[in-house]
Amino acid sequence: MGVKYLLLLVGIFQPIFSQNDVNILNRDFFYQNKRDSSSSLRIVGGQDATPHQFPFEVGLYIDYQLKNAFCGGSLISSNYILTAAHCLEGAISLDVILGAQNISDDSESNRQRQVTSAYVIHPDWDSTTYTSDIGLVKLNTPAQINDYVQTITLASGSDSYAGQQGTVLGWGKTYDDQTTVTDILQYVSNPIFSNDECKAQNPSYNGIITDVHLCLSGVGNKGFCQGDSGGPLVVNDVQVGVVSFSYKSCQASMPSVFARVTKFTDWIKENSDIN
Ligand SMILES: *[C@@H]1O[C@H](CO)[C@@H](O)[C@H](O)[C@H]1NC(C)=O
């Protein structure tokens, strides 16, 4: 039986679990349409953030040799952004936007914007198993920390977070057929699953979810979608996950899967300036 997954932003990847079922997206799509978003619909099951509710959220317009894409990220220090490996693989340059609310509005006064090509991908990143989907971007100029641009604390320790409310955010699609990024930053909350609960949701998740993953329930048709990749999952103001992949449809109420931050704390510290 085919396994129906997609990586949220997949242009450069070979088909992974089943060649017929993997939904390969054209990454050009988000970038070319970035000035053309007219949707007033919401993230899958979510709602508009209030201005600067999430001052650590980062927007990334990424150029690759043949394609472009949009991803999320989180500011973890004034010099470093945490995002997904699958966003960074093959990246030539990244246009980094801090302090945004309407990502399509370049005139926002509290924005900070710069281009960088300095990044590092986790050495264990594996696009065939979706393992270690994590990376760091280094800013050329330190971010100015103020009311609109702030860092987020990363989770540490051994808590599984199962049963707690997790909040994921981003400017990604609000429904499967959307053809642009979403202007206003969206967020949605749901309970975090234990990994066993996650695997029980759908046979396709079995054998894929390991201890380096963390799942958010998709109940109520809530979750992330293309364009949210690399963004944070937050519990009580602490980042516990990085948006990685989900079931083929964003509207199937299936769990959203994240890289589990606590499994990568040492690597993040070694490769950034947080301690
Ligand atoms: C976002 O900004 C763009 C560019 O200024 C504008 O056209 C669009 O209407 C704004 N979207 C919303 C939802 O305000």
Side-chain angles (χ1 to χ4, degrees), residues 37 39 102 104-107 183-184:
S37 178
S39 171
N102 176 346
S104 305
D105 185 359
D106 276 334
S107 68
D183 283 353
I184 305 297

Side-chain angles (χ1 to χ4, degrees), residues 212-234:
V212 298
H213 296 115
L214 185 154
C215 298
L216 188 72
S217 167
V219 71
N221 191 17
K222 293 178 179 176
F224 54 59
C225 201
Q226 283 85 0
D228 293 321
S229 289
L233 175 69
V234 178

Side-chain angles (χ1 to χ4, degrees), residues 19-229:
Q19 303 215 344
N20 293 328
D21 287 336
V22 173
N23 181 11
I24 301 294
L25 295 181
N26 177 358
R27 297 198 299 194
D28 293 298
F29 156 92
F30 285 113
Y31 194 88
Q32 288 173 351
N33 290 290
K34 70 177 177 175
R35 300 277 176 272
D36 193 27
S37 178
S38 56
S39 171
S40 60
L41 294 165
R42 316 228 168 222
I43 196 174
V44 181
Q47 57 191 304
D48 286 1
T50 57
H52 316 299
Q53 184 178 358
F54 302 104
F56 48 83
E57 175 74 9
V58 179
L60 301 170
Y61 287 105
I62 308 176
D63 285 351
Y64 310 85
Q65 191 169 6
L66 299 173
K67 295 174 182 293
N68 309 292
F70 184 85
C71 277
S74 57
L75 191 68
I76 60 167
S77 80
S78 53
N79 290 300
Y80 285 92
I81 292 159
L82 183 63
T83 186
H86 79 263
C87 292
L88 297 176
E89 196 163 48
I92 293 168
S93 72
L94 299 101
D95 185 356
V96 178
I97 303 178
L98 310 173
Q101 166 74 351
N102 176 346
I103 198 70
S104 305
D105 185 359
D106 276 334
S107 68
E108 285 183 328
S109 57
N110 298 311
R111 275 188 184 203
Q112 299 175 39
R113 185 166 190 165
Q114 59 177 281
V115 174
T116 181
S117 53
Y119 64 85
V120 57
I121 293 172
H122 195 286
D124 296 336
W125 159 236
D126 186 338
S127 60
T128 64
T129 59
Y130 303 129
T131 299
S132 306
D133 191 3
I134 200 165
L136 291 161
V137 176
K138 187 171 191 298
L139 296 172
N140 284 323
T141 308
Q144 283 181 272
I145 306 301
N146 57 31
D147 285 350
Y148 313 102
V149 174
Q150 284 170 29
T151 60
I152 186 162
T153 303
L154 298 182
S156 59
S158 58
D159 195 332
S160 78
Y161 301 99
Q164 299 194 52
Q165 280 286 117
T167 300
V168 61
L169 42 147
W171 287 279
K173 289 162 48 165
T174 59
Y175 58 99
D176 285 321
D177 293 337
Q178 185 171 329
T179 57
T180 64
V181 294
T182 303
D183 283 353
I184 305 297
L185 181 62
Q186 301 286 305
Y187 72 99
V188 69
S189 300
N190 243 0
I192 291 172
F193 277 139
S194 71
N195 283 12
D196 284 343
E197 287 173 309
C198 184
K199 287 188 271 193
Q201 296 300 306
N202 187 305
S204 301
Y205 281 76
N206 245 326
I208 295 159
I209 304 299
T210 70
D211 61 357
V212 298
H213 296 115
L214 185 154
C215 298
L216 188 72
S217 167
V219 71
N221 191 17
K222 293 178 179 176
F224 54 59
C225 201
Q226 283 85 0
D228 293 321
S229 289

